[in-house]
Amino acid sequence: MTAAQLPPVAPEVTATLVEDLSPRLRKRLDAAVTKLAARPTHRDGDTVTVEVDDDTELRLHAPGGVVATVDAITCGCLLAPACLHRVAAACAAPAADPPSEPVPDAAPEPGSAADPTLEPTPATPRESVPGPSAQPATTPPDSTLLTATAPATAPTPATSAPAPPPEEASPAQREAAAGLWSAGAAVLEAGVDGAGAVAQAALLRAAHTARLRQLPRAASAALSVVTLLRAARAGDPSYRTADLVTALAELLGTAHRVGTATGAELAAVRGRARRPYSPDGSLRLYGLFTEPVVTESGHGGARTWVATPDGRLCTVGDVAPGGVGRALGVADRTVRLGDTALTHRELGRAGLAVAGATVSPDGRLGAGKGVKAVTARGAAWTEPPLAALWETPPAEQAARALRSVSRYAEPDGGGSDLLFLDVELLGAVRESGGACLLARCDGGPLVRLTVADDDPGLAHRDNLMLLATAPGTRLRIIGRLVPAQHPRLTLLACSHPTGEGTVDLGFDRLRRADLPDPGAPVHAAPPQPGGSGAESPLHLLERRVEQTVPAGRAALGLLGDVTAEARRLRHGGLPTAAGLLTALCASAAQRERDLFGRLLPADTDGFATHWLAAARYSAAVAESLCAAAWAPSPGILTESPTDAATTSRLTGTGSRR
């Protein structure tokens, strides 16, 4: 049995089942989850049955696809319903996440009471709840009211009302954020090895409470942490420690900011439970390309990119369970938008005229009943308005894309991670992770082009290997930025080597006859332009940040002296990184004792604060190195005298001790 074979379970269901266990049974829960995962399952409609043993069956009832109540998990053993089997099944199943998109056909009118984009009215402020995230925001003093004296014969002008103070989080929201912080800090303290089902249940309970109190962004971050913890403990080959580092830092950072943010920042920290689609009137769209979408959760489909006359990028997608097979089939299905008869691949080279369009902040086009669309003439990449996409300097495009792919980008920030470049192919380059295609960018640096998806059912890898045999070929390409200390893209589409038409590199397969010059040699990797990214010692701090996640606080507490690493960071122009590394390791090793020599409880909040500062700082510097690599003449990156203040502002931890 795998987690994918079980229906998703609502977070509050798992949390309730774990909380009802006795302390003795909680110690056996992780072993029970592992044992249950080896048992066979079968599905019958909305019910999944697990064969616990030859005489006992466990059933999960999931009407609508989600186990929504405690009673929906039943067991046939003698100890039921107080048995360990029910709890183990809930902990082994995926955590259910409410849908992020509204149903387009039932979208409410903007501004109506049912509009999901409206933020709820916060509760009346009370005394703030103690906790690491419950620091009250500073309220500016009331403005002095000034009134002008008018002549006796003139009417007295009305006194202007004072500007209302910026909105703050309610006490209930601060309490929920404090619970999220505590649960996240406990996971960081224990590491993956120690964050078993009980710690995960605490996170699920905190996530459920946060969602009820209108904090969907922090709740989603907590669910992401739980999902990644389970993947790590199950040995999932797709798991990456860096993903869990990002999720934990997002959880802790968002939980902290709830207590300090006001106004527009508070709205961003709260997030949205649903992706809002706002009316955008009539749109004239020009197709760019179509890419396959295959997710690790088994979903597959296609996404077609289109552009408006002013250069704004939008997408039309069709993704559902099905994997690579569905992705290949959807590409030739009719686009779900209005009355158009175009398939996704046809739309990538044609155009649309849309009336009553609705668009989400990230550029997704809605397909509600009120949307009308008809086929229109497209444009070549060398014709206006699409040609303008390639006229922006590569460094500016990279800076824009970097804001979109930032690890801690604000939700609904919009923007695109695509780059539009004119390049000359140089040939294949060997790297530690495999080979990639090296290209010289017009008006920019050397760029490494990599495969967007390694699945053999897609054409990405075969096309890239074939293009690597034709050095000197000039192409107009579209790629997705890969944040790295050297210019790097995943190649998605390109102009045809013959100069006629375009190639969707995930679907269309090039032939050797399409290439002008086969037989290119394999080159050694060239020196890094500018050298600043390759020589940066930032990895010394990043390594310690990532090292904490698998083994917890103890992994850093045993390191001992890190003076040599801190010295290398200072010599590399990163004094703040050196200070953060020293403080992080010192916090990990710090354990106080009472008068009788017994160890006191560890300061989990203090350690989480230092770790969060280091994680957010290293991410910001890595993104700066990426931007510098794309600059025409990158220089050596150094920190300014105000770097410590900048780090405090970025992480939101400057006032925490």
Side-chain angles (χ1 to χ4, degrees):
M1 180 189 74
T2 64
Q5 294 174 315
L6 296 177
V9 178
E12 63 272 21
V13 172
T14 304
T16 300
L17 288 171
V18 173
E19 290 164 358
D20 289 343
L21 282 179
S22 65
R24 179 180 63 85
L25 290 180
R26 289 188 186 185
K27 296 178 181 179
R28 298 167 50 190
L29 180 55
D30 290 332
V33 172
T34 303
K35 183 178 180 180
L36 192 69
R39 304 303 302 168
T41 66
H42 65 270
R43 180 183 295 270
D44 183 12
D46 292 334
T47 301
V48 175
T49 302
V50 182
E51 297 180 8
V52 177
D53 53 42
D54 295 339
D55 302 320
T56 306
E57 289 186 340
L58 177 72
R59 291 183 175 87
L60 291 87
H61 305 277
V66 175
V67 178
T69 63
V70 173
D71 296 336
I73 304 178
T74 59
C75 183
C77 72
L78 296 177
L79 297 178
C83 64
L84 198 58
H85 303 136
R86 298 171 65 230
V87 190
C91 293
D97 197 5
S100 60
E101 296 187 22
V103 180
D105 294 344
E109 293 295 327
S112 66
D115 187 353
T117 67
L118 295 179
E119 295 291 345
T121 303
T124 303
R126 302 196 307 263
E127 182 180 353
S128 58
V129 180
S133 300
Q135 299 178 4
T138 304
T139 304
D142 295 336
S143 302
T144 305
L145 302 181
L146 300 178
T147 56
T149 304
T153 57
T156 303
T159 302
S160 59
E167 183 184 10
E168 299 180 2
S170 68
Q173 289 176 331
R174 297 187 183 197
E175 182 181 14
L180 285 168
W181 173 278
S182 298
V187 169
L188 190 64
E189 176 78 17
V192 170
D193 296 337
V198 175
Q200 295 167 25
L203 262 178
L204 292 174
R205 172 61 69 192
H208 177 61
T209 302
R211 193 172 294 278
L212 291 178
R213 296 179 181 177
Q214 308 302 321
L215 297 174
R217 178 179 176 182
S220 295
L223 292 183
S224 297
V225 171
V226 172
T227 300
L228 290 168
L229 281 173
R230 291 176 175 177
R233 293 174 63 86
D236 190 331
S238 64
Y239 166 77
R240 295 173 61 249
T241 301
D243 293 336
L244 185 52
V245 169
T246 300
L248 265 173
E250 169 70 9
L251 170 63
L252 294 172
T254 304
H256 169 81
R257 290 173 63 195
V258 168
T260 59
T262 59
E265 182 186 1
L266 176 60
V269 171
R270 284 173 174 163
R272 299 181 187 273
R274 292 183 167 187
R275 179 181 293 107
Y277 282 80
S278 57
D280 208 345
S282 298
L283 293 177
R284 179 68 167 91
L285 303 174
Y286 297 87
L288 279 166
F289 72 100
T290 301
E291 65 170 324
V293 178
V294 181
T295 68
E296 295 175 354
S297 60
H299 288 66
R303 180 191 299 121
T304 299
W305 289 81
V306 295
T308 62
D310 60 356
R312 183 159 54 106
L313 300 182
C314 301
T315 59
V316 182
D318 184 352
V319 180
V324 175
R326 187 178 190 279
L328 295 173
V330 165
D332 293 315
R333 292 184 186 176
T334 303
V335 173
R336 299 176 182 176
L337 191 65
D339 301 324
T340 180
L342 293 173
T343 66
H344 279 274
R345 295 175 71 174
E346 291 172 343
L347 176 57
R349 297 171 173 86
L352 278 181
V354 184
T358 58
V359 185
S360 71
D362 60 357
R364 301 191 189 189
L365 291 168
K369 293 181 179 179
V371 178
K372 307 297 180 184
V374 295
T375 303
R377 191 186 75 85
W381 288 2
T382 55
E383 299 174 353
L386 298 185
L389 296 172
W390 279 264
E391 296 174 359
T392 304
E396 293 183 20
Q397 293 191 52
R400 180 255 305 152
L402 193 57
R403 290 192 295 269
S404 175
V405 301
S406 173
R407 299 183 204 175
Y408 309 107
E410 295 293 345
D412 297 344
S416 167
D417 56 358
L418 300 184
L419 270 69
F420 304 83
L421 305 175
D422 290 305
V423 301
E424 177 187 353
L425 304 184
L426 300 180
V429 176
R430 293 192 184 97
E431 293 185 322
S432 57
C436 66
L437 177 57
L438 189 67
R440 190 185 307 279
C441 176
D442 291 357
L446 296 177
V447 181
R448 287 169 170 82
L449 306 177
T450 61
V451 176
D453 196 310
D454 270 322
D455 195 292
L458 301 175
H460 287 295
R461 176 159 293 282
D462 292 342
N463 286 332
L464 193 73
M465 293 174 63
L466 196 59
L467 289 173
T469 65
T473 303
R474 295 191 60 82
L475 295 176
R476 179 159 278 195
I477 67 170
I478 301 176
R480 178 167 286 117
L481 178 70
V482 178
Q485 295 184 10
H486 53 265
R488 195 178 190 89
L489 299 177
T490 54
L491 192 57
L492 302 174
C494 69
S495 58
H496 198 280
T498 62
E500 298 180 1
T502 60
V503 182
D504 295 335
L505 292 169
F507 293 118
D508 304 328
R509 290 189 180 272
L510 291 169
R511 297 174 298 175
R512 188 165 295 277
D514 296 325
L515 303 181
D517 182 22
V522 177
H523 301 280
Q528 188 67 30
S532 60
E535 298 173 2
S536 171
L538 181 65
H539 66 276
L540 297 173
L541 179 61
E542 292 176 322
R543 179 177 60 183
R544 300 310 181 192
V545 169
E546 290 196 6
Q547 189 176 1
T548 307
V549 173
R553 176 198 189 107
L556 293 187
L558 299 176
L559 283 180
D561 188 13
V562 292
T563 303
E565 295 182 8
R567 186 183 302 113
R568 286 184 59 189
L569 287 168
R570 290 191 178 91
H571 289 171
L574 300 174
T576 302
L580 288 171
L581 175 63
T582 302
L584 176 64
C585 294
S587 177
Q590 182 179 6
R591 290 298 302 271
E592 302 292 340
R593 295 181 181 270
D594 61 15
L595 296 176
F596 299 97
R598 296 171 297 191
L599 283 175
L600 296 174
D603 181 12
T604 58
D605 288 343
F607 177 70
T609 299
H610 288 294
W611 182 88
L612 174 61
R616 294 296 297 265
Y617 170 88
S618 58
V621 175
E623 291 166 7
S624 297
L625 290 169
C626 179
W630 282 90
S633 299
I636 302 300
L637 179 68
T638 57
E639 295 177 323
S640 66
T642 60
D643 183 71
T646 303
T647 304
S648 298
R649 177 181 57 80
L650 172 70
T651 61
T653 56
S655 60
R656 300 179 57 83
R657 292 289 185 271

